[in-house]
Amino acid sequence: MIEVQHLTKRYGPTTAVDDISFRVEKGEVLGFLGPNGAGKTTTMRVLTGYIPPTEGRAIVAGYDVFDQPIEAKRRTGYLPELPPLYPEMTVRDYLLFVSRIKAVPRGERKARVGEIMERTRITDVAERHCGKLSKGYRQRVGLAQALLHNPEVLILDEPTAGLDPKQIIETRQLIKQLGGDHTIILSTHILPEVSQTCQRVVIINKGRVVAVDSPENLTARLRGSETMYVQVDAPVIGDVRAALQAVPGVTEVAVAETRGNIANCEVNSESGRDVRRELASAVVSRGWGLLELRPLRMSLEEIFLHLTTEDVAHE
Amino acid sequence: MNNILAIAHKELKSYFASPIAYIVIGFSAILYGWFFINLLYYFDRISMQAGAGFGGPQSVNVNEQLISPLFLNVSVILLFTLPLVTMRTYSEEKRSGTIELLLTSPLTDLQIVMGKFLGGLTLYAAMLAVTVVHMGFLFAFGNPEWRPVLSGYLGLLLMGGCFLSLGLFISSLTRNQIVAGMVTFAVFLLFWVINWIATFMGPTTQNVLNYLSITEHLNDFTRGVVDTKHLVYYVSFIAFSLFLTVRAVDSERWRG
Ligand SMILES: Nc1ncnc2c1ncn2[C@@H]1O[C@H](COP(=O)(O)OP(=O)(O)OP(=O)(O)O)[C@@H](O)[C@H]1O
Ligand SMILES: [Mg+2]
């Protein structure tokens, strides 16, 4: 549905996007993740036909965005980083105008605008001037604008930026609902957002793709070894470490913290080997109390930092 | 066509949502009224002289001595008002980022430019409509020929079109509407005084400069002559400016 092939974009001497390629299947929600200046907005601008690529191609809904821009744009809804609102227009007039230039048939415009305003929860500001809206409402009107012509492809540049927590949850739910019928690319800095809304993640840094995978696989893949968190209640704390170390498969035990008789340990084991049963029996057979035993996962945050920090890039 | 009308409609609405439309129409009505009264007074005097046989002009003609100079004076009004009409067309869209909406919608660059041009032209037509009132007086109390009046209005519309298309082009070059307005005014001024400069030049240069002058081509229109030479000049001037605007918008994309 969306295909990006060897896309490069240079602004004079700066290379904003450097030879990136990826695909998004129909109905998929793809998260575009990267630190500031990574090239997310630039890529989206090429995909929406706002700027031409320096090299490479982008195909959206079966049309090359550069060779057949009108056809591609008809099928794309776009929420730019800054919602493109006309301050002197009321929200309703603005949406009517947008539905007109997006070729929504005349007879359907009114109903469509009403429906989208309900869906993005902006009906209460329908008669307000766009210039007088708060940041969060501007963002929601921007989202409404992108959905008006019911496009096959949605490109959302930081759709939840500036929203309050309740709105963030609602917007994520909306995006999830939209996935399936629509093919969506959204960019964000917020990692939980990706694991909550996206089936796949593209992590980019300095214009290059550093990883493409599902959030679960990324988490798993980067967990070189398995780490367990074990909390033990033992009369002599000093014995705990040796006891856990003795379990077959365990490579390393770190006692992170002790409080009274309770030791909090992080146990590393060979990857692919599940040592939970052995750990449990090692503790229980000595008559100690096993208070907690759970796998520690590398959070998406850690992966992100791992992938986008300088010295790791050399590995 | 629907796309062009959509943009034109939006432009027109934003003119009337801001003070610009009222300033432009009000200012032109006042200035035009002032010209009208002065010329009427002048005309009154020469016609009295002619009537009294004091060696004044032999024949007195409302069209030649009143309406034609009145139309020619309108170019002064345009000099001051039309930069206000065009200065924000592109600049403001670029500054506020709404250009991103237009350029990612299924519209061609030409449709956007045409829509903006049509919007400006409609506002200008509203400005001219105010002057129809004064014309009505002349028809009510005098007996002017209607042909030069009609052709004069056609000429004015075309001349304004030239100024508007030029202003649109200048606005597409910057994201600062004040800069756009001032440069537009300076360029208009240049086109306006070009035939004064011409009078100091040799005959060939004079002809060339006169041909280039936007206002010079209006003369014949106000006398009831619709000459193809002038039509071609105005229409190609407008087409060329609009073409340059399309190019400017497109090259901006490449530069980013
Ligand atoms: N119009 C432009 N002219 C010159 N350089 C630009 C332009 N737009 C972006 N860049 C540069 O391209 C690089 C990528 O910018 P981009 O806006 O795509 O990043 P981003 O991933 O969207 O960042 P953010 O998370 O801050 O929104 C940056 O180094 C930026 O300075
Ligand atoms: Mg960005």
Side-chain angles (χ1 to χ4, degrees), chain A residues 9-12 14-17 32-45 51 81 157-158 187-189 204 206-207, chain B residues 175 255-256:
Chain A
K9 177 70 191 177
R10 291 190 202 98
Y11 292 106
T14 42
T15 304
V17 172
F32 218 51
L33 205 61
N36 289 127
K40 303 181 293 291
T41 301
T42 306
T43 309
M44 294 185 148
R45 284 180 164 177
I51 52 174
E81 202 161 29
D157 201 348
E158 299 184 25
S187 78
T188 177
H189 305 116
I204 69 168
K206 300 197 171 141
Chain B
R175 56 181 55 216
R255 276 180 285 115

Side-chain angles (χ1 to χ4, degrees), chain A residues 9 11 45 48 50-52 66 70 73-74 78 80 84-86 88-89 93-94 97 100-102 145, chain B residues 2 5-6 9-10 13-14 17 93 97-108 253-256:
Chain A
K9 177 70 191 177
Y11 292 106
R45 284 180 164 177
T48 51
Y50 179 59
I51 52 174
F66 189 63
I70 301 292
K73 287 170 185 176
R74 259 198 200 124
Y78 176 39
L85 310 181
Y86 292 101
E88 72 278 2
M89 284 193 197
D93 283 348
Y94 170 73
F97 166 66
R100 199 169 163 194
I101 60 172
K102 302 277 184 187
Q145 162 274 127
Chain B
N2 177 47
L5 289 179
H9 185 219
K10 181 223 106 189
K13 259 173 117 172
S14 82
E93 302 247 16
T98 46
I99 192 81
E100 207 163 345
L101 169 69
L102 297 185
L103 296 188
T104 57
S105 293
L107 307 169
T108 63
R253 277 200 184 132
W254 287 91
R255 276 180 285 115

Side-chain angles (χ1 to χ4, degrees), chain B residues 22-242:
Chain B
Y22 306 99
I23 291 175
V24 164
I25 292 177
F27 184 76
S28 67
I30 291 168
L31 218 56
Y32 186 83
W34 191 74
F35 287 142
F36 181 75
I37 287 166
N38 271 285
L39 283 164
L40 197 62
Y41 180 69
Y42 173 74
F43 177 73
D44 191 39
R45 254 192 10 217
I46 54 170
S47 48
M48 268 167 55
Q49 279 172 358
F54 290 138
Q58 288 311 299
S59 64
V60 188
N61 180 313
V62 198
N63 286 93
E64 263 169 45
Q65 263 112 17
L66 179 60
I67 298 177
S68 172
L70 195 58
F71 277 148
L72 292 173
N73 273 324
V74 171
S75 63
V76 181
I77 302 176
L78 302 193
L79 196 64
F80 290 100
T81 51
L82 294 193
L84 289 174
V85 175
T86 56
M87 65 182 190
R88 32 169 297 295
T89 45
Y90 270 96
S91 308
E92 190 57 17
E93 302 247 16
K94 286 209 237 177
R95 195 195 56 76
S96 69
T98 46
I99 192 81
E100 207 163 345
L101 169 69
L102 297 185
L103 296 188
T104 57
S105 293
L107 307 169
T108 63
D109 291 355
L110 184 63
Q111 286 170 340
I112 301 173
V113 173
M114 291 298 288
K116 285 180 176 290
F117 177 68
L118 196 61
L121 202 63
T122 312
L123 178 62
Y124 171 54
M127 267 166 69
L128 287 183
V130 176
T131 68
V132 173
V133 180
H134 306 80
M135 282 305 152
F137 272 113
L138 293 183
F139 276 95
F141 296 106
N143 191 18
E145 272 186 79
W146 59 268
R147 248 186 84 85
V149 174
L150 276 192
S151 67
Y153 271 114
L154 175 67
L156 281 182
L157 208 60
L158 286 168
M159 182 175 76
C162 289
F163 281 126
L164 287 169
S165 59
L166 192 59
L168 211 58
F169 170 59
I170 294 168
S171 179
S172 75
L173 299 176
T174 170
R175 56 181 55 216
N176 184 325
Q177 55 168 319
I178 305 299
V179 170
M182 299 216 301
V183 172
T184 307
F185 178 69
V187 173
F188 283 7
L189 201 62
L190 188 73
F191 272 100
W192 194 66
V193 297
I194 217 166
N195 49 337
W196 290 1
I197 303 169
T199 52
F200 306 114
M201 299 291 173
T204 327
T205 330
Q206 188 168 4
N207 278 342
V208 172
L209 290 182
N210 272 342
Y211 185 75
L212 285 180
S213 164
I214 294 181
T215 45
E216 193 65 21
H217 292 269
L218 188 65
N219 287 337
D220 283 348
F221 282 102
T222 66
R223 295 198 199 97
V225 182
V226 181
D227 191 332
T228 358
K229 184 176 73 176
H230 303 309
L231 276 180
V232 168
Y233 172 85
Y234 278 146
V235 172
S236 43
F237 190 107
I238 294 171
F240 186 61
S241 303
L242 296 182

Side-chain angles (χ1 to χ4, degrees), chain A:
Chain A
M1 185 50 57
I2 300 175
E3 198 168 341
V4 176
Q5 298 168 349
H6 302 290
L7 194 79
T8 298
K9 177 70 191 177
R10 291 190 202 98
Y11 292 106
T14 42
T15 304
V17 172
D18 191 1
D19 190 27
I20 71 170
S21 303
F22 61 88
R23 285 174 65 93
V24 192
E25 302 304 330
K26 190 170 167 51
E28 199 175 19
V29 184
L30 179 93
F32 218 51
L33 205 61
N36 289 127
K40 303 181 293 291
T41 301
T42 306
T43 309
M44 294 185 148
R45 284 180 164 177
V46 173
L47 287 176
T48 51
Y50 179 59
I51 52 174
T54 313
E55 277 161 41
R57 302 208 310 155
I59 293 160
V60 171
Y63 296 92
D64 186 305
V65 291
F66 189 63
D67 295 336
Q68 290 166 294
I70 301 292
E71 292 303 319
K73 287 170 185 176
R74 259 198 200 124
R75 293 164 177 79
T76 311
Y78 176 39
L79 169 65
E81 202 161 29
L82 279 178
L85 310 181
Y86 292 101
E88 72 278 2
M89 284 193 197
T90 64
V91 170
R92 188 188 300 280
D93 283 348
Y94 170 73
L95 292 176
L96 284 169
F97 166 66
V98 175
S99 64
R100 199 169 163 194
I101 60 172
K102 302 277 184 187
V104 176
R106 177 189 281 272
E108 295 169 25
R109 283 181 209 146
K110 263 206 171 118
R112 188 77 192 137
V113 166
E115 185 189 319
I116 291 295
M117 286 199 298
E118 283 296 327
R119 210 154 177 199
T120 51
R121 294 166 211 261
I122 50 173
T123 313
D124 48 330
V125 295
E127 310 309 330
R128 197 93 64 82
H129 287 276
C130 290
K132 292 182 179 149
L133 296 178
S134 67
K135 172 85 179 85
Y137 271 103
R138 297 173 66 93
Q139 195 71 21
R140 282 144 78 179
V141 176
L143 186 63
Q145 162 274 127
L147 298 174
L148 270 178
H149 56 307
N150 197 22
E152 291 167 45
V153 171
L154 276 171
I155 298 194
L156 311 173
D157 201 348
E158 299 184 25
T160 56
L163 298 182
D164 64 42
K166 181 165 163 278
Q167 272 304 315
I168 290 181
I169 293 167
E170 283 174 3
T171 305
R172 284 180 193 159
Q173 277 168 353
L174 179 62
I175 292 171
K176 261 188 155 162
Q177 284 170 21
L178 290 167
D181 290 340
H182 302 71
T183 307
I184 306 178
I185 298 188
L186 64 90
S187 78
T188 177
H189 305 116
I190 308 166
L191 293 138
E193 187 153 298
V194 171
S195 37
Q196 283 169 30
T197 49
C198 305
Q199 282 117 45
R200 234 147 44 90
V201 195
V202 170
I203 298 183
I204 69 168
N205 188 33
K206 300 197 171 141
R208 291 177 160 277
V209 174
V210 289
V212 186
D213 217 328
S214 67
E216 297 80 29
N217 284 350
L218 272 181
T219 320
R221 206 176 72 188
L222 277 141
R223 220 182 335 140
S225 58
E226 318 274 325
T227 308
M228 294 293 157
Y229 175 81
V230 189
Q231 195 176 49
V232 181
D233 181 358
V236 186
I237 295 285
D239 296 343
V240 175
R241 191 191 162 89
L244 295 181
Q245 189 79 62
V247 172
V250 169
T251 51
E252 198 191 334
V253 178
V255 180
E257 193 191 347
T258 56
R259 218 180 320 112
N261 284 340
I262 298 174
N264 298 313
C265 311
E266 277 180 24
V267 179
N268 281 329
S269 60
E270 290 160 15
S271 64
R273 185 155 178 179
D274 191 352
V275 291
R276 278 178 290 183
R277 278 174 209 82
E278 291 81 353
L279 283 175
S281 61
V283 173
V284 176
S285 64
R286 284 174 174 80
W288 301 339
L290 181 59
L291 304 182
E292 205 175 337
L293 173 61
R294 62 182 159 88
L296 275 184
R297 298 185 136 226
M298 200 171 187
S299 72
L300 217 45
E301 252 103 6
E302 288 168 288
I303 294 169
F304 183 61
L305 283 174
H306 186 79
L307 283 171
T308 55
T309 24
E310 203 63 56
D311 46 69
V312 181
H314 298 298
E315 280 183 4

